[in-house]
Amino acid sequence: MLALFAGISLLSRVAAQSVTTYPPYAVSGDSTVQFTLESNGFDAPKVNFYNSTSAQWWYFDVVSNDLSQSAVISFLDNAPGATGSPSGVLPFNFIEVNLQLSSGQQISLQVSGQWVILTSEGDGLSGVFNGSGYSWTGASDLSSYTVTLDDTANELSGTIQLNSDAPYHASCGTATPGASLLVSDQLGWANSIPDGTAIVDLTYNGLPIKYTGRGYHDSNWGSMPLEIMGTYYWGHARFGPYAVVWFDMLDTEGVEHQLGYVSENGKILANSCGSITVRPTGANSTYPPNANQSPTGFHILYDMGDAGIFELNATNTAVIQIEPPLYMRWVGSVVGGIQGKETYEGVSLYEWMIGYSGPLP
Ligand SMILES: *[C@@H]1O[C@H](CO)[C@@H](O)[C@H](O)[C@H]1NC(C)=O
Ligand SMILES: *[C@@H]1O[C@H](CO)[C@@H](O)[C@H](O)[C@H]1NC(C)=O
Ligand SMILES: *[C@@H]1O[C@H](CO)[C@@H](O)[C@H](O)[C@H]1NC(C)=O
Ligand SMILES: *[C@@H]1O[C@H](CO)[C@@H](O)[C@H](O)[C@H]1NC(C)=O
């Protein structure tokens, strides 16, 4: 690990940068894993080094305003550890790309990275996965992020820019020092851009992919594979003045962890835990979910206390990733708002994962 402090004089402002490098292999020993927010470094690395079971990943997505296109890019540090897959199946440092094209075609790319260089400044983070052609830069106040793709092997290049329209937040409240970043006992979560205006400008095999839509960015981390932590529903939506993020996880002890966030016109309206339920709807919508059962949508009910009761219905319009029988991701249309007030329609991107505690099926 290398820490350097570059003093940059800009209108008497001094920006401190911290650079961390991670090798493309596990290091033995006990990692130090941070689950409490410090005074800065909201999107910074939370694991000091990766042993075979500790991992962190940075996630970006975009859904077009007409739901016909989407892009999801995940940068994983210790992908085998994060996913619990047997060693040798996935590269250690790994980029996963899923593109939904307007033609209906789905593109799925897996790319390996060499060393990972992460530079944090203020609350923002920039990352380079060496040798992959994939990197991103983040503003120190989390107001904008740009993911840059220069993947010559897959003939995919260009940028995805996210301009934040909703304040970042801790798990159950505002992002103040000391706030918890836990989803459950073992899973960390930092949601840097709950909702933003996204500008996609890519070229894939000579085909231009250009659209605007809603974007999102977060990071998760922990010291055990996600799959053995439990079953969850997660997603985000934008409709009218509202941006919503939900995370409803049922851990392996049978405890439900409910995390809700709603912003209105760029200001946080509610951000709390324990009073949001996310349930599948339509055919095949048992709860907790069973493997291979795909619902047609989700119903989200969030008691925001004095701010009212928020209700949202999401209806799947396309499956954008599927790893049967454990994982699915969709884009969908949403309708909802505060009960008794005006309702709005909009767009959403969401997923579920069915956890397990035994060997891979
Ligand atoms: C990795 O580090 C975590 C956190 O310190 C620890 O709980 C875990 O046992 C370590 N894993 C290995 C394989 O050493
Ligand atoms: C990343 O790649 C560049 C260019 O190949 C190289 O100069 C640099 O040393 C690499 N950094 C690490 C940490 O591997
Ligand atoms: C429910 O799931 C089963 C497979 O598990 C599938 O054959 C069936 O078509 C689904 N029903 C609906 C209405 O989607
Ligand atoms: C959501 O769907 C349920 C079931 O169809 C319906 O009762 C409810 O009114 C819908 N809510 C909104 C906000 O559309």
Side-chain angles (χ1 to χ4, degrees):
M1 190 197 297
L2 163 81
L4 82 86
F5 295 92
I8 301 165
S9 265
L10 243 182
L11 303 168
S12 79
R13 173 176 154 267
V14 176
Q17 286 192 341
S18 168
V19 180
T20 318
T21 57
Y22 293 95
Y25 46 80
V27 174
S28 61
D30 281 346
S31 307
T32 300
V33 186
Q34 179 195 333
F35 290 120
T36 302
L37 188 57
E38 294 176 354
S39 57
N40 59 21
F42 187 81
D43 203 22
K46 302 294 190 295
V47 184
N48 64 338
F49 65 85
Y50 304 111
N51 63 25
S52 62
T53 55
S54 57
Q56 182 163 8
W57 57 99
W58 284 268
Y59 168 97
F60 301 86
D61 75 38
V62 181
V63 54
S64 68
N65 293 324
D66 67 359
L67 292 165
S68 70
Q69 301 181 75
S70 65
V72 178
I73 303 187
S74 307
F75 292 82
L76 292 94
D77 276 356
N78 190 3
T83 58
S85 60
S87 80
V89 174
L90 293 178
F92 192 81
N93 293 329
F94 178 65
I95 302 119
E96 184 164 37
V97 180
N98 288 281
L99 303 176
Q100 171 199 8
L101 306 185
S102 57
S103 62
Q105 195 187 353
Q106 308 273 353
I107 309 295
S108 175
L109 306 174
Q110 284 84 34
V111 181
S112 69
Q114 296 159 9
W115 283 69
V116 171
I117 302 123
L118 299 175
T119 304
S120 64
E121 181 179 345
D123 284 311
L125 186 72
S126 300
V128 177
F129 274 47
N130 246 16
S132 71
Y134 290 80
S135 63
W136 77 87
T137 55
S140 61
D141 61 358
L142 303 175
S143 58
S144 66
Y145 268 67
T146 302
V147 182
T148 300
L149 295 70
D150 184 13
D151 180 345
T152 47
N154 291 304
E155 292 187 49
L156 176 64
S157 62
T159 56
I160 296 175
Q161 194 185 333
L162 307 183
N163 295 319
S164 182
D165 292 319
Y168 59 99
H169 62 103
S171 293
C172 312
T174 47
T176 49
S180 170
L181 298 174
L182 285 168
V183 174
S184 63
D185 292 347
Q186 301 291 338
L187 179 66
W189 183 41
N191 185 193
S192 293
I193 301 185
D195 173 65
T197 304
I199 302 156
V200 177
D201 187 357
L202 299 174
T203 304
Y204 177 65
N205 279 316
L207 172 77
I209 303 172
K210 285 178 193 275
Y211 57 92
T212 55
R214 304 314 305 173
Y216 174 95
H217 165 52
D218 71 8
S219 177
N220 287 106
W221 64 92
S223 58
M224 61 170 69
L226 193 55
E227 279 94 334
I228 64 168
M229 294 180 192
T231 289
Y232 71 80
Y233 301 131
W234 161 90
H236 65 94
R238 173 61 191 263
F239 46 109
Y242 301 119
V244 175
V245 180
W246 63 88
F247 213 139
D248 191 346
M249 180 178 218
L250 188 64
D251 71 22
T252 47
E253 311 285 306
V255 178
E256 193 176 346
H257 304 268
Q258 304 173 332
L259 289 74
Y261 170 94
V262 178
S263 73
E264 181 178 18
N265 292 317
K267 293 203 169 59
I268 296 176
L269 186 63
N271 181 196
S272 58
C273 290
S275 62
I276 184 169
T277 53
V278 181
R279 292 294 181 265
T281 54
N284 289 332
S285 57
T286 51
Y287 182 84
N290 292 325
N292 277 324
Q293 290 215 331
S294 173
T296 53
F298 289 90
H299 179 241
I300 295 146
L301 203 57
Y302 181 13
D303 183 346
M304 306 187 296
D306 292 345
I309 296 181
F310 208 90
E311 186 183 6
L312 183 68
N313 285 329
T315 305
N316 309 343
T317 55
V319 174
I320 57 169
Q321 199 187 347
I322 180 162
E323 312 280 351
L326 298 170
Y327 177 84
M328 283 185 101
R329 187 187 294 149
W330 298 269
V331 292
S333 60
V334 291
V335 54
I338 298 172
Q339 285 181 353
K341 293 190 178 178
E342 192 175 344
T343 58
Y344 299 88
E345 293 178 11
V347 299
S348 185
L349 190 152
Y350 44 95
E351 64 186 25
W352 78 351
M353 199 197 63
I354 301 174
Y356 64 95
S357 51
L360 274 166

